[in-house]
Amino acid sequence: MMASTFLKLKNLSRDGALRCRKWNRQYSKSSYAAAASESEKMEEEEAPSSGISRPLSEILKELNKKVPDSLVKTRLEKDGFPVRYIPWHLVNRILNLHAPEWSGEVRNISYSADAKSVSVVYRVTLYGTDAEIFRESTGTASVDDTSYGDPVQKAEAMAFRRACARLGLGLHLYHEDAS
């Protein structure tokens, strides 16, 4: 019984690897715009995980490209100041496209001494054929702000996006006002 289960898993793994290679060939040269147009199709399909496929320098080169304006959202802060950002779920899809073996983890969650805000530290790790790299960042949200899920979710999404920006993804959004 156990041997047949093992063989089934082995065959599934081999089939999955073939689908992953096919998926990588099809999408490895895709632009962010193509990723956005394919996102609806991909929601229904299983997103494959391909093994480590490229050197880290190539992955970082792709992540450092400017994200199309069609993927960027704008929200108004309480003071009326507009903030441009890439929603966390699109950042996640872009990472899946260009760095399929990335990983992310919440490293710390802490509340301020007065319990009015929560901060999250998030780490994103990229794996290439030649190296791996990680970046951490923080996000902080007011406990009273429930405009986007709960405050911990908001702080986590912010920390995730910022950690990805430290790897180059969407970094251009932080420098738009400087030009």
Side-chain angles (χ1 to χ4, degrees):
M1 182 72 159
M2 202 158 187
S4 69
T5 303
F6 175 74
L7 287 174
K8 287 179 185 176
L9 288 174
K10 187 175 178 182
N11 287 337
L12 284 174
S13 177
R14 187 178 303 130
D15 293 343
L18 292 173
R19 282 196 315 266
C20 291
R21 279 194 225 90
K22 180 180 176 188
W23 187 85
N24 272 343
R25 279 194 302 273
Q26 183 179 358
Y27 292 104
S28 65
K29 295 182 181 178
S30 295
S31 66
Y32 291 119
S37 67
E38 291 292 322
S39 66
E40 291 178 4
K41 292 178 189 174
M42 289 176 61
E43 285 181 16
E44 297 174 5
E45 297 174 5
E46 181 181 335
S49 174
S50 65
I52 299 171
S53 58
R54 297 185 298 160
L56 189 59
S57 61
E58 288 182 22
I59 294 169
L60 292 172
K61 184 178 178 180
E62 289 295 319
L63 293 180
N64 275 280
K65 290 182 178 177
K66 186 177 187 269
V67 176
D69 289 336
S70 62
L71 299 179
V72 177
K73 304 294 181 202
T74 303
R75 73 169 179 269
L76 290 176
E77 291 294 308
K78 290 182 181 181
D79 60 1
F81 184 74
V83 175
R84 290 173 37 96
Y85 68 100
I86 307 166
W88 73 267
H89 59 92
L90 293 177
V91 171
N92 190 71
R93 286 191 180 277
I94 292 168
L95 280 179
N96 287 342
L97 179 67
H98 296 294
E101 290 294 322
W102 73 276
S103 68
E105 64 179 305
V106 172
R107 303 283 290 169
N108 189 29
I109 299 173
S110 59
Y111 287 86
S112 62
D114 61 4
K116 291 185 178 183
S117 65
V118 61
S119 293
V120 173
V121 177
Y122 198 91
R123 175 184 284 188
V124 174
T125 305
L126 302 180
Y127 302 94
T129 56
D130 55 347
E132 67 182 60
I133 187 173
F134 71 87
R135 294 291 184 260
E136 290 182 348
S137 196
T138 59
T140 302
S142 170
V143 173
D144 299 329
D145 185 3
T146 57
S147 62
Y148 170 80
D150 67 57
V152 175
Q153 287 176 323
K154 184 175 183 176
E156 181 182 345
M158 184 185 301
F160 171 62
R161 289 191 309 263
R162 288 177 175 174
C164 290
R166 294 188 69 206
L167 292 163
L169 179 53
L171 187 60
H172 64 281
L173 296 174
Y174 292 87
H175 301 290
E176 287 180 337
D177 295 336
S179 50

